[in-house]
Amino acid sequence: MSTGRDRRGRGRRGPLAWPAVPTMVSRAVAFDELVLDCAQRYEGVLGARWADVELAVADVPPTDPAPWEDGPALARIFPAEGAHPHRVVVYRRPVETLAAREGDLASVVELVVARQLAELLGVDVEDIDPELG
């Protein structure tokens, strides 16, 4: 005899919050959206040069640091190869760790993305975002 209730007769349990509520968004998804927001901001500034750049997010950097890195990598640039465009990869966990010390994840992500784009394009950070200079 199944009545569709649990054994204590209180009914089935549902989610604590519905999918439209922000609490249902994981930290990884929220970080991805933050990086995309930064990318859209710089897309207008960079114009046609933006077509040659692809932005990606990974949780952690590979275990082997580059020779010029003295600490954990926040992001890396991968130059274009063949048909693949330039790629900027932002590493979520190190950026979140740094932002916990700095206090504001959005400003740290914005600074990391701007610095990587500036390095890739061979310009100063001020050319991409005058506020960060």
Side-chain angles (χ1 to χ4, degrees):
M1 175 168 114
S2 176
T3 61
R5 294 181 162 273
D6 67 0
R7 66 181 180 188
R8 293 185 179 85
R10 291 188 214 125
R12 292 191 175 128
R13 293 182 184 235
L16 294 175
W18 297 106
V21 178
T23 58
M24 297 295 281
V25 175
S26 70
R27 285 184 3 202
V29 171
F31 188 85
D32 291 351
E33 291 174 359
L34 189 57
V35 171
L36 284 175
D37 288 344
C38 288
Q40 288 174 348
R41 177 178 176 195
Y42 297 130
E43 186 175 2
V45 174
L46 298 175
R49 294 182 291 183
W50 184 253
D52 297 333
V53 179
E54 186 178 274
L55 204 59
V57 174
D59 283 338
V60 292
T63 56
D64 56 339
W68 59 87
E69 294 172 337
D70 57 353
L74 301 176
R76 283 197 180 139
I77 298 170
F78 295 94
E81 288 184 1
H84 299 289
H86 297 288
R87 184 173 294 140
V88 175
V89 179
V90 179
Y91 299 113
R92 180 177 66 86
R93 300 293 294 268
V95 171
E96 286 177 339
T97 302
L98 177 64
R101 285 184 260 143
E102 298 293 323
D104 187 18
L105 181 62
S107 62
V108 172
V109 168
E110 189 173 334
L111 181 61
V112 167
V113 170
R115 283 185 177 171
Q116 295 301 311
L117 290 174
E119 185 178 332
L120 177 68
L121 299 172
V123 297
D124 291 330
V125 175
E126 297 87 18
D127 295 339
I128 292 177
D129 191 344
E131 296 173 9
L132 296 176

